[in-house]
Each structure stands twice: as C-alpha cells, then as structure tokens.
Amino acid sequence: MNMGEWLDPHFLEEPIQWLNEDVLQIFGMEPEYIQFFLVFAFMGSVMWVVKPVVEWLVLRNWLTFLSCLSSVLLVLVFLQMVDRYAMAGTTSTLPEYYWFICLSAISGYGLTLAGWLTVKQAYRRFTKRKRRKAA
C-alpha cells in the first residue's frame, strides 16, 4: 500500500526548503537548532493532542506512559514520511544530521517532561508535608 494514496505529501516541499543552509545563513541561524526546535515543538503538539485520547482510553496509572509512547510513534512515523518524501532516487535531500537531531529533540522532550513531572510531584509532597507540620 502506497502512502501517497492516503495523503498528498507535497505540502512538505516548503518546510524542507526552510532547512536550506544558504537561506538560514542569511538570517544567521544554524539549521541544526531550527530542526531541533521544530521537532521538539512537533513532539509537544502531538503529546498535547494524544494525551486526552489516551486519558479517555486508559486508567490514570498508564496515562503518561501510553501518551508518551503513542506520541513518539506518531512523530517517528511523520519524520519517516518526511525522510521518504525527501528521497531523490537513492539519496536523500535532507542533511546528514537529520535523524540525529530529530531523535535528540524527541529525547530532549521526554527528559523535559519527566523532569517537570518529578518537580511537580516533589513540590506537592513538600507542600503537603509543610501543611501537616503547620497544623
């Protein structure tokens, strides 16, 4: 089954051209940082969309794990589609660091989320303990 039957991937031409190193040098930006930010933001947006669906489907204990897992899988499928669309014959028109930056952004988002949830949980425990001592 061809993915082109489901979705017309021509909308990817313009965003791929944004990663052109010549264009980014005009603005003084490194393409690695732009790509990292775009994948990081994409991961966050997919997590924001997937989380309510998983919340509805699963128990609270598995919510974070399953929403992160499904978000990562959706992002990887989308990035694979971008990679396949950027193929020109047997070579890719994407930069050689494409997958390294994408995987770094996905991992960075996961570490940021895990850190935020840990700090949030520690703050709740600390304030709860502080209230008990005050009472």
Side-chain angles (χ1 to χ4, degrees), residues 78-96:
F78 179 78
L79 293 173
Q80 184 67 29
M81 185 181 76
V82 169
D83 189 27
R84 291 296 161 233
Y85 180 71
M87 293 293 279
T90 58
T91 60
S92 177
T93 58
L94 294 172
E96 62 186 32

Side-chain angles (χ1 to χ4, degrees), residues 4-5 13 17 23 28 31 39 44 61 74 84 101 103 105 126 130 134:
E5 296 172 9
E13 289 176 3
Q17 291 173 359
V23 173
V39 174
N61 299 352
L74 281 172
R84 291 296 161 233
I101 297 295
L103 295 176
F126 178 71
K130 197 173 185 180

